[in-house]
Amino acid sequence: MRTHLATTPMTLRPPSPPSPSPATPTAPVGACSAADETAPVETASVETIVDTHVHVFTRALPLASGRRHSPTGDFTLDDLLAATAPHGVGEIVLVQPSFLGTDNGYLLATLARAPQRLRGIVVVAPNVDDDTLDAYGKAGVVGVRLNLIGRDPREVLAPPWTDLLGRVAARGWQIEIQAEGRDLPDLIDGLAPLGAPLVIDHFGRPDPRLGVADPGFRRLLAAGRDGPLYVKISGSYRCGGADATPYAGALLASLGPDRLLWGSDWPFTQFEAVRTYADGLAELRAWLSPAERAALAATSRRLFGFAL
């Protein structure tokens, strides 16, 4: 059982809300009320953190067929706020977990509880219609995720996927990619011409045997400080057991903090027993200076549509 931490409410600088929400989606079991706006909380820290990668779900939700794993617990917005409250976390980005597939109802219902503070990244089928995408945008969605672990990445480099991703780019949304490092060169070269920002999850998941010499990781470094590419320094424990510190250093040196994002990856699915929220923040503070962390937070607010 998780113990919720008691905190004293205060007012943080609120981000601008997204466009007015569409009709409240039909929420699955455990979904949240749209009227339940959640206030930020007081902390001893003067540094406000933007967490660009978390997941919320319950075991009562319908699960996608063909999933790689199933949830072992319930992790709601209330649990998330209890975990983040002591750490000065302001804005938060919800990423649709792969085991829920394209049913984004729970994510949308959670966004409705705190529309000033939350944004969303959804998972969709390539034939999703424009009305659905528009409704997602009004609810606070700012991008789509391609989770290509265990899949042939070439499928998203041809129709109907390129047609969908062109519509995503036309909305000013981002394309978030989780893929093995070896697949990144073709993905980046194939998707960058669409014009959408490309957000690469979890350091680009380089092959731990190759480390920073992994060709996919080298392709990230070659993208430069002015390209369409952003990299999440998140989920260090998803790097095959390798120490992520050299990855963070190389990315910072080549891309600068304006092309980096930090995410806790809460609730650390499949690693819940060995990871805490404080662990991720300790890494962030070890890797980046206060000035670099401030630049990273500004990048996150701009990219995900929060107030600067």
Side-chain angles (χ1 to χ4, degrees):
M1 178 180 296
R2 288 175 298 279
T3 301
H4 292 258
L5 303 176
T7 55
T8 304
M10 69 172 287
T11 302
L12 293 175
R13 176 176 53 79
S16 300
S19 304
S21 297
T24 302
T26 301
V29 176
C32 312
S33 167
D36 184 13
E37 178 68 49
T38 305
V41 294
E42 183 176 3
T43 78
S45 172
V46 297
E47 179 183 17
T48 300
I49 302 296
V50 182
D51 189 341
T52 69
H53 198 104
V54 307
H55 308 288
V56 290
F57 52 86
T58 76
R59 288 166 293 179
L61 297 170
L63 301 178
S65 61
R67 60 190 178 277
R68 291 182 292 115
H69 63 92
S70 300
T72 59
D74 301 333
F75 297 94
T76 68
L77 179 60
D78 292 332
D79 297 315
L80 171 63
L81 296 178
T84 59
H87 301 293
V89 176
E91 301 90 341
I92 302 173
V93 181
L94 309 179
V95 178
Q96 173 77 346
S98 60
F99 50 73
L100 294 184
T102 59
D103 183 350
N104 298 288
Y106 190 76
L107 182 145
L108 295 173
T110 304
L111 290 176
R113 284 189 57 186
Q116 292 186 326
R117 205 176 165 193
L118 302 176
R119 295 293 183 269
I121 303 294
V122 294
V123 173
V124 297
N127 62 349
V128 63
D129 60 70
D130 286 335
D131 287 344
T132 298
L133 294 178
D134 291 341
Y136 286 173
K138 291 176 182 178
V141 168
V142 293
V144 301
R145 190 187 199 207
L146 304 176
N147 190 335
L148 301 175
I149 302 299
R151 295 170 55 187
D152 184 346
R154 293 174 295 182
E155 69 180 274
V156 301
L157 300 178
W161 281 101
T162 49
D163 298 334
L164 163 69
L165 298 175
R167 291 186 285 143
V168 167
R171 286 168 167 78
W173 290 7
Q174 62 188 262
I175 301 169
E176 181 170 314
I177 300 169
Q178 178 172 216
E180 302 294 358
R182 63 178 176 270
D183 296 324
L184 290 178
D186 288 344
L187 287 167
I188 293 169
D189 292 342
L191 298 179
L194 295 174
L198 302 181
V199 175
I200 309 301
D201 282 349
H202 306 325
F203 299 91
R205 295 179 63 112
D207 185 332
R209 297 168 297 179
L210 301 175
V212 296
D214 180 277
F217 189 77
R218 304 303 297 178
R219 180 64 180 83
L220 297 184
L221 301 181
R225 299 180 178 223
D226 300 318
L229 202 67
Y230 298 81
V231 182
K232 288 187 180 180
I233 50 173
S234 63
S236 60
Y237 45 89
R238 301 194 191 278
C239 292
D243 179 6
T245 299
Y247 301 150
L251 289 167
L252 182 62
S254 293
L255 303 183
D258 292 335
R259 283 295 181 270
L260 300 183
L261 308 164
W262 178 78
S264 66
D265 198 31
W266 184 91
F268 331 116
T269 54
Q270 300 181 286
F271 293 86
E272 298 94 335
V274 297
R275 185 74 170 183
T276 69
Y277 203 92
D279 292 337
L281 285 173
E283 291 176 337
L284 174 64
R285 289 169 177 144
W287 294 332
L288 273 67
S289 70
E292 290 164 343
R293 296 197 300 270
L296 178 148
T299 294
S300 303
R301 292 187 182 100
R302 181 173 61 253
L303 183 63
F304 291 95
F306 295 113
L308 298 176

